[in-house]
Amino acid sequence: MSEPQPTQPQSLLSIVAHCDNFSVSEEKITPGGEKLVSWRLTPDLSSPVLGLLRPCVVDQLKLESSNVWNFSLSGTSESISFASSLDTPAKRTRVMKEMCERWRDTGLWPDQIGPKKWRAEMYPIFRNPFGKRDAPLAEDGEVETGDDSTNYAFMMERAACALVGVVTYGVHMTVYEGGPEGEFIGNGDELQGYRIWVPKRARTKQTWPGYLDNSVAGGIPSGLGIFESVVKEAMEEASIPEYIVRKHAKATGVISYFYRTDAGWLQPEVEYVSSSSSGGVQTSYLLTIQVESFELLELPEVESRIRAGLFKPNCAVVLIDFMINHGLITPDNEPDFLEIVTRIHGRFDYDRW
């Protein structure tokens, strides 16, 4: 993927729609004409649906061992599940790890799980994607107990999650200056007075190289809770010391969106959002090899670059949410306010999965 080039100014709704660009039809047919198949936890048709499978993945699973996968047909509705014998999170984790690594090593879908795309990071998968986050705080699936009564179902390689259309989770922290507690200018221009630390992603990043990013952002891996993931990413991406994050970062909400890649892979994602006044963050902390540069931008300039398509799509949506939460985007100044708010707090048409 090449670096972005600025577009003509887009509406904020258009920016949101670029990120939340997929909806599940009653027939589960994609815009490309693919019939999606439900991936259930167990063969029971009342079992929770974990993800949505494309035909190419279904065909590949049919080549796998029948001791691992179960295929069901109810009327015209097809579903795939783990075999009944895989009845603990640890068993499912081992099966997914072996299979995904084998797919990688045999060259399947190199655009998604090839060696250059592989993350070597495990993500927890939940029965109810909107339910309790009760995954064990340990990355090694072997330490898990045989308890299968939790919402947590298993863990799998991060890069492979889009192959099976499962919900994944991340964290974002917006580091800002000014606002009502600082230099807010009440002169009719609501965006004046806020400044945000904006990094540019390194050109060597596996995804979205050269795009503008949020101050701190990353996935929630197995073994870490939500806030601990914020602490981890702040250290890794912005070199912000742990004590600064714990003192200044505040949870402000959550966004969700359903993204379909240009290659057709499905990525329903939830982002836990926090913000931090940069009163305790010195400029010298915002230096890292993970990004190409950091800039402290006035919020009107941030909005301009959002509208020009220069931000990674989900980071643009997080910053739109930041402006909504701070009363800078309102029903009075944004004609698409209600649609924007509902689009970034959706449920992925989960009832149709």
Side-chain angles (χ1 to χ4, degrees):
M1 179 181 288
S2 59
E3 289 194 43
Q5 299 299 315
T7 67
Q8 291 296 315
Q10 304 174 56
S11 71
L12 294 182
L13 181 57
S14 295
I15 297 296
V16 169
H18 182 57
C19 185
D20 182 51
N21 66 358
F22 183 73
S23 60
V24 182
S25 68
E26 291 285 356
E27 300 79 17
K28 291 189 283 194
I29 303 293
T30 71
E34 293 183 323
K35 172 70 172 177
L36 300 174
V37 172
S38 301
W39 180 25
R40 296 185 180 276
L41 184 62
T42 73
D44 189 335
L45 291 180
S46 65
S47 174
V49 178
L50 304 173
L52 293 171
L53 306 175
R54 298 174 65 188
C56 58
V57 177
V58 172
D59 290 343
Q60 185 62 35
L61 289 175
K62 289 179 177 178
L63 300 177
E64 300 288 330
S65 169
S66 59
N67 295 326
V68 174
W69 300 103
N70 180 84
F71 300 87
S72 300
L73 185 64
S74 176
T76 60
S77 179
E78 183 180 8
S79 65
I80 296 175
S81 70
F82 288 108
S84 299
S85 58
L86 300 178
D87 54 2
T88 69
K91 291 178 182 179
R92 300 180 197 113
T93 295
R94 287 195 291 272
V95 163
M96 293 301 295
K97 184 176 186 295
E98 186 279 328
M99 184 180 73
C100 291
E101 290 177 353
R102 176 162 40 82
W103 285 0
R104 174 200 63 194
D105 295 342
T106 54
L108 281 173
W109 303 299
D111 65 311
Q112 192 63 36
I113 58 171
K116 293 183 178 180
K117 296 293 186 178
W118 194 260
R119 306 301 287 267
E121 186 175 41
M122 301 293 275
Y123 268 9
I125 309 301
F126 298 95
R127 301 163 189 265
N128 176 2
F130 310 105
K132 184 178 181 180
R133 294 188 58 84
D134 54 5
L137 296 181
E139 291 192 7
D140 185 357
E142 296 299 327
V143 305
E144 298 175 12
T145 68
D147 183 14
D148 198 33
S149 63
T150 60
N151 191 39
Y152 167 70
F154 61 93
M155 65 180 78
M156 64 177 292
E157 158 64 29
R158 173 178 180 171
C161 287
L163 298 183
V164 291
V166 293
V167 178
T168 60
Y169 305 83
V171 292
H172 284 252
M173 182 173 72
T174 302
V175 181
Y176 70 97
E177 295 183 0
E181 300 84 11
E183 305 171 359
F184 182 72
I185 301 173
N187 62 357
D189 188 345
E190 292 86 351
L191 300 185
Q192 295 295 332
Y194 285 85
R195 294 182 295 176
I196 292 179
W197 283 103
V198 176
K200 183 177 182 181
R201 294 169 68 84
R203 298 176 189 182
T204 56
K205 292 286 280 187
Q206 294 163 311
T207 56
W208 305 99
Y211 278 74
L212 299 179
D213 212 332
N214 204 358
S215 310
V216 172
I220 304 177
S222 294
L224 285 183
I226 296 169
F227 191 76
E228 295 306 315
S229 295
V230 175
V231 173
K232 167 182 173 287
E233 294 297 334
M235 283 290 296
E236 292 181 354
E237 294 199 349
S239 301
I240 304 175
E242 178 178 341
Y243 77 92
I244 293 290
V245 180
R246 294 192 183 280
K247 180 178 180 179
H248 292 278
K250 305 295 182 185
T252 59
V254 65
I255 65 169
S256 55
Y257 51 86
F258 206 147
Y259 182 66
R260 181 174 180 262
T261 72
D262 291 341
W265 300 115
L266 302 180
Q267 297 178 336
E269 299 184 338
V270 172
E271 307 286 0
Y272 291 92
V273 181
S274 62
S275 64
S276 173
S277 170
S278 62
V281 180
Q282 302 299 317
T283 304
S284 59
Y285 291 149
L286 298 169
L287 299 173
T288 172
I289 60 172
Q290 298 279 344
V291 300
E292 187 168 299
S293 62
F294 259 103
E295 294 182 272
L296 182 60
L297 299 178
E298 300 283 349
L299 197 50
E301 177 62 20
V302 173
E303 184 190 25
S304 175
R305 297 191 190 187
I306 288 173
R307 292 181 183 273
L310 297 177
F311 274 85
K312 183 172 177 276
N314 66 336
C315 294
V317 171
V318 169
L319 288 168
I320 290 170
D321 182 67
F322 173 89
M323 290 186 277
I324 291 171
N325 287 338
H326 285 76
L328 308 175
I329 297 176
T330 71
D332 294 323
N333 63 22
E334 172 52 61
D336 297 315
F337 181 85
L338 186 56
E339 187 164 1
I340 288 172
V341 171
T342 54
R343 286 284 290 272
I344 63 177
H345 297 94
R347 290 177 56 86
F348 318 122
D349 303 306
Y350 184 70
D351 292 343
R352 296 178 179 176
W353 286 26

